[in-house]
């Protein structure tokens, strides 16, 4: 697997694969991602630092928020895949890079949605917490 530095130097292609991309999670540099985190905190009425009990309502709200941001419910997987490929191609051309900032992905497949969800509820929060 190439390092982040190698990916940054690759521009829009990696030898042997024209359809390669990497999703970059960079809270410091991705202003769209920061805005999404703020909206998620407003939606839930909590910040990640003050979540003590994670209830199903919180999880549901965040899941709906993620799905809505990333293209809505997936009724037709083939259509969603086409939309993802189009967005991916457009972002790579615009950014001149195969590194796609997570906050810029307004269409997402399951892996992109899961990654965004993980940004909202960091895995470390699950240690020692009770679930209702």
């Amino acid at each position: 697997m190439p390092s982040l530095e190698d990916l940054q130097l690759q521009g829009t292609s990696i030898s042997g694969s024209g359809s390669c991309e990497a999703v970059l999670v960079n809270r410091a540099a991705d202003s769209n991602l920061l805005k999404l985190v703020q909206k998620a905190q407003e939606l839930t009425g909590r910040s990640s630092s003050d979540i003590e009990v994670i209830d199903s309502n919180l999880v549901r709200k965040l899941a709906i928020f993620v799905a809505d941001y990333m293209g809505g419910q997936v009724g037709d997987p083939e259509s969603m895949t086409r939309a993802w490929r189009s967005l991916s191609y457009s972002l790579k051309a615009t950014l001149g890079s195969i590194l796609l900032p997570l906050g810029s992905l307004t269409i997402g497949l399951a892996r992109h949605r899961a990654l965004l969800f993980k940004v909202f509820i960091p895995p470390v929060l699950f240690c020692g917490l009770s679930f209702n």
Side-chain angles (χ1 to χ4, degrees), residues 10-94:
Q10 292 298 323
T12 57
S13 67
I14 286 184
S15 59
S17 175
S19 63
C20 183
E21 75 267 330
V23 177
L24 183 63
V25 179
N26 185 341
R27 294 173 194 242
D30 189 342
S31 61
N32 291 331
L33 183 58
L34 288 176
K35 290 175 188 173
L36 286 173
V37 169
Q38 290 172 345
K39 286 181 184 178
Q41 289 173 346
E42 291 169 9
L43 176 73
T44 62
R46 310 179 197 188
S47 70
S48 59
S49 62
D50 64 24
I51 295 176
E52 293 178 11
V53 175
I54 299 175
D55 62 19
S56 60
N57 190 40
L58 172 69
V59 173
R60 186 176 297 109
K61 282 181 182 178
L62 290 176
I64 291 169
F65 179 71
V66 167
D68 287 347
Y69 182 74
M70 291 205 155
Q73 293 183 0
V74 180
D76 177 12
E78 290 179 20
S79 176
M80 183 62 73
T81 300
R82 282 191 303 274
W84 159 250
R85 285 184 184 142
S86 176
L87 175 67
S88 172
Y89 179 81
S90 174
L91 283 173
K92 286 190 279 188
T94 300

